[in-house]
Amino acid sequence: MSQQMNYQQAPMGAPAPQAARNGLGVAALVLGIIGFLSGLPMFLFWLAGPLGLLALIFGIVGTGRAKKGQATNKGAAITGTVLGALAIVLAIVGVIVTVLVVKGAADTAADEIKKQTGSSNSVKDLKAGAAAKYNNGLQVTVSKPSPYTVNPNTLIDGHTNGNKAWKVTVTIKNTGSKDYTNPLMTTDAEADGKKAEEVGDDKHGILHHDFEKTLSPNESSSVEMVFDAPPSAKELELKITPDLMLDPANWKLTL
């Protein structure tokens, strides 16, 4: 007894049916969900941005395949695209918020340092005898310039023949409640807009900037400084930075 079997074959010349290409749509959906959730805390913007971009690309391509009949998960691809776009938006917001937070923290830190060190309102264009006052209790004063006769036998450097030398007394006082240790002062001077060299001899000069290493509360320390200026100079501008962490103070002294 014979059995007859029927086989159904595709018509000659017809293309074989293709499997649905749903991989990109699924990937877009997964990446979009992770990217969107990563963007919610904002500080994970660095993760949300790349994931969102990939989800957006995969979703667009997956949606295109679905429209061509090459994929069957159009909904997943579209959802992944939308979530990817939202993840990118959240990443951008996260970057902006992070920058603002960091800038705010930096400004706050700078203000705090300024409160503990120098106050720019009290250290500009001071006159002889006026004090530059700092919030940490340090106070700097500069006396009125007085003519100084340079002894050529003791001169080390800084004086030019024909110029005049002017002596000022710089005083640092600790008006705070704690000891101030090792003030590291630097100076820069100009006479009528031109650099004025500090004169060095057996009593003056950088080697003689011997302020007290530790200033107790209400204690002060002074040094004499001599600066060289052209004979026609009418003003000596002296900039003093009393310590590395403090703002420079500026005196304009009439000669």
Side-chain angles (χ1 to χ4, degrees):
M1 187 174 176
S2 62
Q3 294 180 344
Q4 186 176 2
M5 301 179 65
N6 295 326
Y7 294 93
Q8 293 183 353
Q9 297 180 350
M12 294 297 293
Q18 296 181 352
R21 301 166 65 184
N22 292 329
L24 288 179
V26 173
L29 180 60
V30 174
L31 292 174
I33 292 174
I34 298 175
F36 177 77
L37 294 177
S38 299
L40 292 177
M42 291 190 182
F43 65 87
L44 291 177
F45 63 88
W46 53 271
L47 181 61
L51 292 179
L53 181 60
L54 289 174
L56 183 64
I57 295 173
F58 290 168
I60 292 174
V61 177
T63 302
R65 286 183 178 180
K67 289 181 178 179
K68 295 178 181 178
Q70 299 174 348
T72 59
N73 63 342
K74 182 178 180 180
I78 293 176
T79 303
T81 302
V82 173
L83 290 175
L86 291 176
I88 293 174
V89 172
L90 289 175
I92 294 173
V93 173
V95 170
I96 295 174
V97 171
T98 301
V99 170
L100 292 177
V101 169
V102 172
K103 183 178 183 301
D107 291 344
T108 300
D111 290 342
E112 186 63 26
I113 291 174
K114 202 167 191 65
K115 287 179 181 178
Q116 296 178 3
T117 56
S119 174
S120 60
N121 293 329
S122 64
V123 296
K124 292 182 179 180
D125 297 338
L126 302 171
K127 301 299 181 182
K133 299 178 181 180
Y134 295 88
N135 293 325
N136 62 356
L138 207 65
Q139 182 172 298
V140 184
T141 57
V142 178
S143 69
K144 182 179 179 181
S146 60
Y148 180 78
T149 302
V150 177
N151 185 348
N153 296 324
T154 61
L155 178 64
I156 299 174
D157 58 12
H159 179 63
T160 301
N161 289 333
N163 282 357
K164 289 185 178 181
W166 297 87
K167 181 178 68 174
V168 298
T169 300
V170 178
T171 301
I172 294 180
K173 184 177 181 179
N174 180 12
T175 64
S177 59
K178 298 179 181 179
D179 289 350
Y180 195 89
T181 303
N182 197 26
L184 300 174
M185 189 184 70
T186 58
T187 62
D188 186 28
E190 292 184 354
D192 287 356
K194 297 181 180 179
K195 183 174 178 58
E197 298 289 344
E198 184 175 359
V199 177
D201 58 17
D202 59 340
K203 296 181 180 179
H204 307 95
I206 296 177
L207 297 178
H208 297 278
H209 291 182
D210 50 352
F211 288 103
E212 292 290 336
K213 293 186 178 298
T214 299
L215 292 175
S216 301
N218 293 319
E219 185 181 8
S220 61
S221 181
S222 300
V223 296
E224 291 183 346
M225 298 182 184
V226 178
F227 294 96
D228 199 50
S232 60
K234 302 298 183 183
E235 183 179 71
L236 177 68
E237 186 170 348
L238 181 59
K239 182 171 69 175
I240 296 178
T241 305
D243 210 340
L244 297 178
M245 294 297 294
L246 300 179
D247 292 337
N250 192 75
W251 281 264
K252 290 188 175 181
L253 308 172
T254 301
L255 299 179

